[in-house]
Amino acid sequence: MKNLFSTLFLLCIVSFYVNAQEIKYTSGNNSWNADSLGNQRAVVSFNGVGKIAKVVINWRRSDPNPEQKAIIVQDAKTGKKIKNVLPISVDKEEGIICFEPESGAGTYYVYYQPYKNEGRSNYPKGVYPKQEKSTGEISIKDANATVSNTKVLQIESINTFNRVYPMEVIATAEEMKALRVKNAEPAYLVFPESRNYPIIMKNDIPQRWIIKGAQKTFTDKAFRGENFSFQLGILALKDLQNVRLKFSDLKDKTGHKISSALLSCLNTDGIAYDGVPFKKEVDVPASQVQALWCLLTIPTNAYSTTYSGTVIVSSANAPSQTVKINLMVVPRTVKTNGGIDEPWKQTRLTWLNSTLAQKNTVIAPYTALQVQGNTISLLGRKVELDENGFPKQIQTFFSPEMTDYTTTPNNLLAENIHFHFVRKADGKNTVLKDGGIEFTKKEAGTVQWKSKNANDSLQMDVAGSLEFDGFLAYTVKVTALKDVDLKDVTMHIPFNKTAATYMMGLGQKGGLRPEKFDWKWDVANKNQDGAWLGNVNAGLQYALRDEKYVRPLNTNFYLQKPLLLPTSWGNENKGGVTIGIKGSSMLANNYTGERQLKKGDVLYYNFTLLITPFHTINTDFQWENRFYHKYNTIDSIKATGATVINIHHATPINPWINYPFIEHAKMKSYIDEAHSKGLKVKIYNTVRELSNRAYETFPMRSLGHEIYSPGKGGGFSWLQEHVKDDYIAAWFVPEIKDAAIVNSGMSRWHNYYVEGMNWLTKNVGIDGIYLDDVAFDRITMKRIKRVLTQDGHPGIIDLHSANQYNKSDGFNNSANLYMEHFPYLNRLWFGEYFDYEKNKPDFFLTEVSGIPFGLMGEMLQDGGNPWRGMVYGMTNRLPWSGNNDPRPIWKVWDDFGMKGTKMIGYWSENCPVKTSNAEVLATVYKKQGAALVSIASWADNDVKITLTIDWKKLGIDPAKAVITVPEVKDFQASSSLTAQSEISIPKGKGLLIVIKEK
């Protein structure tokens, strides 16, 4: 009885304390400089009694270690900082602060989380200084002797976005103690919570829950057709394992029903980015809070009534609890699909489980796959399969110029791709008997097959697939049928020498293939697991993987989530690759080194192949679509001659990085105006990092590391104060305080991304996207292309990359890293840190131009080299022009009439114009009766050259030919030439020459 009385007394005291101590929380409407004073302050009023103001602030802070952070007091009357400040006691629950009230009675501001930004402006380090030593003289004795004489009027956040009320105003230790006493039996407490108040804190519960108490009933209302959601906050009183939810049907008193099949838990069940359903195990450590987000799309024909049902919360190691649901469905039906035009209601959480555009339908310009015997045909290419399931021959049918298809094949392989299993005992290959091919799927977009190859010691199960864009994926399962000692396992790709002129990847800069090449695995430091080898019109990229492959992070973040070493290919770093001439072939030898297999052991020697090029180059698109990469007025952009506007983030109509939904009305108005004046508009939107302005930030944080990468935290103050820990701070825009968080890689955020692009295309009218590096795979890229090009939309995609060949990015080549996306791009923009001066033509061709892959590009760094760029049909981009404004070259295009010309590059044996110097190259743009010849020098010095012109190939009568050098501002002066002229070419420059018949 005594214990019961004590408990009741404690609960009464706590209840009185909660009700008596509630503080008003408001927005400060950006009325102070947060970058020096912090985001939170208490507004206090000194009553004028005594020379020391003493205030007790029950601030209920959720930030860690508040005692280590400074307190700043400001005089509201004068705006001056109070010099004499003495914090007596500071902890998460309250602060007792003494200060000298210099203006006497009145209002003062107590700032309790001041910070300063250090580091780079776009990657700041928010630092919270410690308390400065007081310059005045308030003694501890006097401070303790002073009674509280200052009242807390309210607590203000710098603005509503930085608010802490109500979900970050913590419960006190006494309140938590009383809560535990009141709920002594359960292993966990359940707090149903509205979608309007996303659960943020993990290590504290909000005071709001103390006031409400642990609940057994959730009541809310929703519209017909709405994507409704609610939360169950689980406070673990002990470690919980595998927490799950089970929903009942929702029924009213007359029998109307909403099926339980429409209810789901975002945290435990979902559909992955590749369309595969999955379940997640949710464990909750003791004393932590886990938000479980529940989703329900109300049927549009639902009867307007109050529905009731239950959700049973269960744990593998604790008794279940039941929460009753009372949901009123109001008569109004949402105007848009699921109410997605009101995302602040979390109506777009259902997008995380979307399967939109997953079906592998053929995307233009690609054609349906055709199977004849063991040969599969696709746009511009053929794959003939051997009886073991691997390619016997791969052919392409592209002209050397990359502008046409031919009937003469380019054979990539000197012989079939094959494996060797070398015995340790005698060094001989243990031959597997080929089992033949069985096709398991023949569809327009995908063909799949399998083969079983075996002998008495090993079995190799091969499963292969080819997609319409030229992507082959192999799962190679090797099983030991008895104990086997192997000296080596190798996969040989025997290239035709002419189909391996160039190489890129495995630490090799794009360019001419070295005569001999040797590489070893080093995933801790290098994002390298494959390479591209090829010629301009025939090539093959391959990558070595196993069944545990996970896409790593890229663009500055590789070292924080690197590749996993493939158990098979890596073999504890014994594996590697050698490339060199062997007989009549150029052999890529992918070896694994010595290993022992016990009977029943299984290894996966998976690999992917990508056949290049993907299609011919679209030169007319290059000449007609001139990108302007900056937000500006439509009329000013149109006046430049540009035709496509790229809207970056951190602009008025697209302020928040990779979350272009908040200012969508402004964006639509801008795009509508552009369309009315004949311009297209593309927006910056990609996956790699995500603005902290995303409405779904904390629901997605509740998913653990699924969508946000683990990390050390830090960065801008908002992230530290609200997200708190276990994240990687990404790009920051100081002007608007947009602080991004790094995405984890392949996740359900890609489903949301696809749905978002679909919504923007349909409702805002975007004409495509600008990708600033890419952190998703080809599955997502295909889905994006499908939704962007629906209903006749242009769906233009251009990709920018900063050179990835550096330590932070794992020494990969941008073109090699992103090649899987190339089939769906319209243009490349490679980019920052690409050296257009020191690198040779083979680097331009392979790493920058895009031509060996069916693309064309633009330059960026330092304005590019306009003379060298034109050899590949490239200029730089307005207004990122440096000192090389592309408009004079655009004028040459217009004056000459580039549309319809045939581009014949210096790399083609059919090029009709050559120079007398091997380091001065010429590309011809040919049409009836005229040619524009682009000449660029890679010689180390100024040189003089003459031209060799094949007039027949050029299609011009030499007797009627007139050769001129047109005036091009900041590029060249005008002059006249003859076919025999000696032409001076300055170092690093060149000429544009027009040849016409009279």
Side-chain angles (χ1 to χ4, degrees), residues 421 458-460 476-480 597 601-605:
F421 298 91
L458 293 172
Q459 179 173 307
M460 180 169 65
V476 182
K477 179 183 177 183
V478 175
T479 305
L597 294 177
D601 283 353
V602 174
L603 289 169
Y604 285 86
Y605 291 90

Side-chain angles (χ1 to χ4, degrees), residues 961-973:
V962 176
I963 305 176
T964 59
V965 177
E967 175 78 24
V968 183
K969 183 182 177 183
D970 299 324
F971 187 94
Q972 66 188 24

Side-chain angles (χ1 to χ4, degrees), residues 311-364:
V311 53
I312 298 173
V313 184
S314 65
S315 169
N317 62 335
S320 62
Q321 297 185 37
T322 300
V323 176
K324 185 177 180 181
I325 302 171
N326 293 322
L327 183 64
M328 175 187 290
V329 175
V330 297
R332 184 167 71 86
T333 302
V334 292
K335 295 180 180 179
T336 57
N337 182 26
I340 56 176
D341 285 351
E342 299 179 302
W344 52 89
K345 292 183 178 180
Q346 305 300 342
T347 51
R348 295 182 180 180
L349 286 179
T350 56
W351 283 3
L352 292 169
N353 290 324
S354 171
T355 59
L356 180 66
Q358 280 286 8
K359 188 176 180 182
N360 200 36
T361 54
V362 178
I363 300 169

